[in-house]
Amino acid sequence: MLEQRIQQHFIDSADLKYQAGPILSKPISQAMQAILACVTSGGKVLACGAGVSGLLAAQFAAQFVGRFERERPELGAIALPGDPTDPSADSAAATDADRFARQVRALGQAGDVLLALSASGQSAAVLAAVLAAHERDMTVVALLGNASAGQPASPGAGSSGTGGAIGRALRETDVQIGVSHERAARIHEIHLLALHCLCDGVDAQLLGEQEAST
């Protein structure tokens, strides 16, 4: 039974990725272009995530400043500190709803990009960061879901029908990468793949289309 349960995780993850690819390729490409325009103009990416998503934000920043799969000059990215162990972080009842917004107001400048992650789409802290980014005339790239929306969603992915309060706060110039699924773990998996696509896409634009080194 345990082995079957493990295999089912792989099957469910693969199925969602297969569904998401054709739907999310366009918004991921749009997000990549926004991030590329930002960093090639001397700007930076501020990355934040609610709860566990903060770890994904930190991984993105590390790979952006360091390297993804190929050597290249450093690119500007900062992971905004959060608390990945806070169970309320990815909800409308976040204990410190201004945690990320303070950092955005302190560090963000016009032309920068806020990369914001929330598997529920309802994080008060991420929502406040988005509003603060708008005040700074920053573009927002939001990786969102509806994992805590209250009713199970049909597995799938798309930029409409997901995103909760954060999605509704986005502007037309922002980019939403939305994943609809009832399990946060599946949403995190798609978000991680999307972040890898962003890093790879920026590298391809800067360095060419050759295969990445191992």
Side-chain angles (χ1 to χ4, degrees), residues 30 92 107 169 174:
Q30 292 171 334
L107 301 172
D174 298 328

Side-chain angles (χ1 to χ4, degrees), residues 181-196:
H181 200 278
E182 68 270 17
R183 299 188 67 170
R186 297 287 89 85
I187 294 172
H188 291 314
E189 289 162 3
I190 300 296
H191 284 179
L192 176 59
L193 182 56
L195 294 176
H196 286 168

Side-chain angles (χ1 to χ4, degrees), residues 54-154:
L55 301 176
L56 299 183
Q59 178 176 328
F60 171 85
Q63 291 175 328
F64 217 62
V65 173
R67 53 167 292 193
F68 177 55
E69 292 180 327
R70 289 190 274 175
E71 295 295 340
R72 55 154 170 73
E74 298 82 0
L75 299 174
I78 301 171
L80 305 182
D83 183 0
T85 67
D86 180 2
S88 69
D90 200 8
S91 72
T95 54
D96 184 3
D98 209 35
R99 176 196 303 271
F100 298 131
R102 288 193 298 269
Q103 299 176 70
V104 171
R105 289 191 293 266
L107 301 172
Q109 297 178 336
D112 289 345
V113 167
L114 175 69
L115 179 69
L117 295 90
S118 170
S120 73
Q122 303 291 350
S123 169
V126 174
L127 175 59
V130 168
L131 298 178
H134 288 160
E135 293 173 3
R136 287 288 188 267
D137 198 22
M138 298 168 59
T139 298
V140 177
V141 171
L143 280 68
L144 303 175
N146 62 345
S148 301
Q151 296 182 359
S154 300

Side-chain angles (χ1 to χ4, degrees), residues 13 15-28 144-146 153-163 176-182 186-187 189-191 193-194:
S13 181
D15 284 347
L16 184 58
K17 289 184 174 73
Y18 184 80
Q19 296 174 44
I23 299 171
L24 296 185
S25 58
K26 182 176 180 178
I28 291 174
L144 303 175
N146 62 345
S154 300
S159 59
S160 61
T162 59
Q176 179 182 167
I177 300 169
V179 183
S180 178
H181 200 278
E182 68 270 17
R186 297 287 89 85
I187 294 172
E189 289 162 3
I190 300 296
H191 284 179
L193 182 56

